């Protein structure tokens, strides 16, 4: 009978060891896959950041060229208009100066808005990249939890941190937008004071 108990115990120990090895192998494989996923996600976000920066630069260039073309055409139209109506001398110069100032304001405002778009895009992509990293770190923390209580505590901490980050990220984006609006307003008010 003791021999049967020893045999059963040995068989049970072997099964337990085999199950532990399988569990460890699965945990190692899962950790490796998580690392690979994190690396791939980070690479993807970095490529998105680069692509978005290039798109923003191209947009700024296109807007700048469009505004310059519009400014040139407006100057020509103002010249034709003043000649047609017979404005000469001081009246013509005043109209030309006012037209030029208005177009300069539009050009500067376009530049400010384009820069704000670029800044906001960079901030948004940076925040997205940080959120990806926080999510991956959180998954790793959850995977290492040793009990239901620890899992629940980690999960509630991650939710709190996520909400806190969302508030901070929203604040950063709104501050960038507010600065752009303020700068555009200064541009227009500066031109109005000159006129």
């Amino acid at each position: 009978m003791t021999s049967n108990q020893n045999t059963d115990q040995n068989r049970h120990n072997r099964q337990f060891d085999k199950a532990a090895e399988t569990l460890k192998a699965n945990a190692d494989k899962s950790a490796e896959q998580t690392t690979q996923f994190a690396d791939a996600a980070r690479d993807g976000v970095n490529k998105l950041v680069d692509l978005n920066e290039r798109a923003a630069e191209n947009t700024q260039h296109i807007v700048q060229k469009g505004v310059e073309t519009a400014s040139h055409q407006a100057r020509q139209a103002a010249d034709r208009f003043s000649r047609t109506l017979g404005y000469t001398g001081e009246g013509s110069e005043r109209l030309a100066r006012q037209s030029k100032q208005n177009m300069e304001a539009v050009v500067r405002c376009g530049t400010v808005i384009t820069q704000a778009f670029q800044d906001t895009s960079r901030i948004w992509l940076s925040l997205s990249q940080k959120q990806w990293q926080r999510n991956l770190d959180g998954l790793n923390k959850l995977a290492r939890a040793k009990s239901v209580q620890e899992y629940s505590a980690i999960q509630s901490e991650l939710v709190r941190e996520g909400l806190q980050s969302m508030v901070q990220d929203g604040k950063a984006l709104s501050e960038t937008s507010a600065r752009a609006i303020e700068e555009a307003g200064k541009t227009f008010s500066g031109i109005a004071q000159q006129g």
Side-chain angles (χ1 to χ4, degrees), residues 9 17-18 29 47 55-56 63 71 75 86 101 103 109-110 117 135 166 188 190 194:
Q9 184 64 34
D17 289 344
K18 187 175 180 181
K29 186 175 180 180
K47 286 179 183 175
V63 167
S71 176
R75 268 188 249 120
Q101 288 172 344
M103 290 313 296
C109 189
F117 173 74
N135 288 345
M166 200 165 52
F188 283 121
Q194 289 176 5

Side-chain angles (χ1 to χ4, degrees), residues 127 131 134 160-170:
L127 296 175
Q131 186 60 44
R134 280 193 299 265
R160 181 191 56 77
E161 288 174 357
L163 289 173
Q164 184 178 2
S165 295
M166 200 165 52
V167 169
Q168 291 171 344
D169 296 350

Side-chain angles (χ1 to χ4, degrees), residues 135-146:
N135 288 345
L136 291 173
D137 292 344
L139 285 173
N140 285 331
K141 285 180 183 178
L142 288 171
R144 289 190 303 265
K146 294 181 177 28

Side-chain angles (χ1 to χ4, degrees), residues 132-163:
W132 265 100
Q133 191 60 51
R134 280 193 299 265
N135 288 345
L136 291 173
D137 292 344
L139 285 173
N140 285 331
K141 285 180 183 178
L142 288 171
R144 289 190 303 265
K146 294 181 177 28
S147 68
V148 173
Q149 293 84 3
E150 185 179 358
Y151 185 90
S152 295
I154 291 170
Q155 186 179 29
S156 65
E157 180 183 339
L158 292 174
V159 169
R160 181 191 56 77
E161 288 174 357
L163 289 173

Side-chain angles (χ1 to χ4, degrees), residues 175-191:
E175 287 173 352
T176 300
S177 298
R179 278 193 305 273
I181 290 168
E182 183 179 329
E183 186 67 30
K186 285 179 183 177
T187 298
F188 283 121
S189 66
I191 294 300

Side-chain angles (χ1 to χ4, degrees), residues 5 10 24 29 49 51 60 73 88 93 133 136 148 164 171 174:
Q5 286 177 339
N10 287 340
K24 185 181 181 320
K29 186 175 180 180
V49 168
L51 181 63
Q60 182 178 9
Q73 290 174 348
T88 57
E93 288 175 20
Q133 191 60 51
L136 291 173
V148 173
Q164 184 178 2
K171 183 180 177 185
S174 66

